[in-house]
Amino acid sequence: MIWEAIIEPFLQFGFMRRALLGCIAIAVGATPVGVFLMLRRMSLTGDAMAHAILPGAAVGFLISGLSLGAMTIGGLVAGIVVAIASGMVSRLTTLKEDASLAAFYLISLALGVLIVSTRGSNVDLVHVLFGTVLALDNAALILLCSIASLSVFIVSIIFRPLVLECADPQFLRSVSKLSAVTHFTFLALVVMNLVAGFHALGTLMAVGIMILPAAAGRFWTSSIGGLMVISAATAVLSSVSGLLLSYHYSLPSGPSIILVAGILYGLSVIFGPAGGLVVQNLPRRHYKQ
């Protein structure tokens, strides 16, 4: 029973194995970035950046169709341009960075949907917005695994400045010139992982595999290393479970993966030992001296 329900789909079908490998690559590369997004209170920034890559990917689609290379380059360029433009607006005007980023992301989302819907079909629009994780080919897997490896490598190099910036950004600025470099490198990592997630989960779902496992992991540990491990494990478990739900019940694969991650987040909120609702409301013993 367990063999037929859990293991056999991945052994029998190559598209299920490719989908699982792609999701694992995204989980390993994106969850450490998601952890630092959460610790820096930038979770909604990740959502905004996910929408910001849409017009670039749409232009790539317009030029070369569903070309992996064109859509990847377009998404990277669009994401980096939006990140830099929103930062410049916040520094040169009175508008805060969150407001400028929200403005750019809304414009990007509308422009991207307009481009795809004008020059493509409804199927193409669904592909761009929600991804096709079950249709990953070998070229896409090589791209996802390469981005995941590069992301883990860069995070390991800038790990200490990232931790310092989460704890006390003013201190990092006063003792090191790496503050700005760390910040923009981190934004580049966010864009890079969102572009990777875009190919499997689409622009609307890519940020989910980055943020939800990190938010769930926060209720199980307070150490950054442990948080990264638990977040990655949660993302992998969500991917396996979502793919199996999609296979057995003919559900959309991307939303299934994100919904499983959401369920795990909800369970963590309730039962997590590091600040979950149950622990917070347990009666506390009072000791007499």
Side-chain angles (χ1 to χ4, degrees):
M1 185 67 178
I2 295 178
W3 176 273
E4 293 178 355
I6 298 177
I7 299 176
E8 187 175 355
F10 296 107
L11 292 180
Q12 187 174 359
F13 298 104
F15 69 88
M16 289 289 288
R17 293 193 297 272
R18 288 191 294 271
L20 179 60
L21 178 57
C23 289
I24 291 174
I26 294 170
V28 171
T31 48
V33 178
V35 166
F36 282 107
L37 274 173
M38 181 187 65
L39 293 177
R40 298 175 67 175
R41 297 178 177 87
M42 294 174 63
S43 298
L44 291 178
T45 300
D47 184 53
M49 294 304 299
H51 294 82
I53 68 175
L54 182 56
V59 170
F61 166 78
L62 188 64
I63 296 173
S64 302
L66 295 174
S67 166
L68 180 69
M71 296 179 73
T72 299
I73 294 173
L76 285 172
V77 171
I80 292 173
V81 167
V82 168
I84 294 174
S86 61
M88 290 180 62
V89 168
S90 65
R91 284 165 174 77
L92 299 177
T93 69
T94 58
L95 196 65
K96 299 296 184 181
E97 187 170 16
D98 60 337
S100 63
L101 189 59
F104 277 105
Y105 116 72
L106 290 170
I107 296 169
S108 299
L109 178 61
L111 180 60
V113 171
L114 183 65
I115 292 173
V116 177
S117 60
T118 301
R119 303 302 294 269
S121 65
N122 290 333
V123 174
D124 296 326
L125 183 60
V126 170
H127 169 84
V128 171
L129 293 179
F130 298 104
T132 52
V133 65
L134 295 179
L136 293 176
D137 56 15
N138 293 336
L141 288 180
I142 292 173
L143 175 68
L144 297 184
C145 292
S146 300
I147 289 177
S149 302
L150 181 60
S151 180
V152 171
F153 176 70
I154 294 176
V155 167
S156 66
I157 291 177
I158 63 173
F159 181 79
R160 292 185 67 183
L162 276 177
V163 173
L164 277 175
E165 196 169 42
C166 292
D168 192 346
Q170 298 296 334
F171 174 75
L172 180 62
R173 291 191 190 101
S174 64
V175 300
S176 174
K177 297 180 180 180
L178 293 176
S179 177
V181 174
T182 301
H183 179 71
F184 284 107
T185 302
F186 178 71
L187 287 180
L189 280 176
V190 173
V191 173
M192 190 168 64
N193 280 281
L194 287 173
V195 170
F198 154 77
H199 288 294
L201 303 173
T203 56
L204 296 184
M205 298 286 128
V207 72
I209 204 68
M210 185 180 290
I211 298 299
L212 283 172
R218 183 61 186 85
F219 290 98
W220 296 93
T221 182
S222 32
S223 72
I224 295 180
L227 186 54
M228 288 184 175
V229 173
I230 292 174
S231 301
T234 302
V236 172
L237 178 60
S238 301
S239 300
V240 174
S241 303
L243 288 173
L244 289 173
L245 282 174
S246 174
Y247 174 80
H248 289 296
Y249 298 102
S250 300
L251 299 173
S253 51
S256 298
I257 293 170
I258 302 306
L259 277 177
V260 172
I263 292 171
L264 294 176
Y265 167 74
L267 293 173
S268 301
V269 170
I270 298 172
F271 300 108
L277 291 175
V278 173
V279 172
Q280 292 285 81
N281 291 281
L282 284 176
R284 299 182 182 181
R285 297 180 180 179
H286 298 279
Y287 296 94
K288 295 182 180 180
Q289 293 183 349

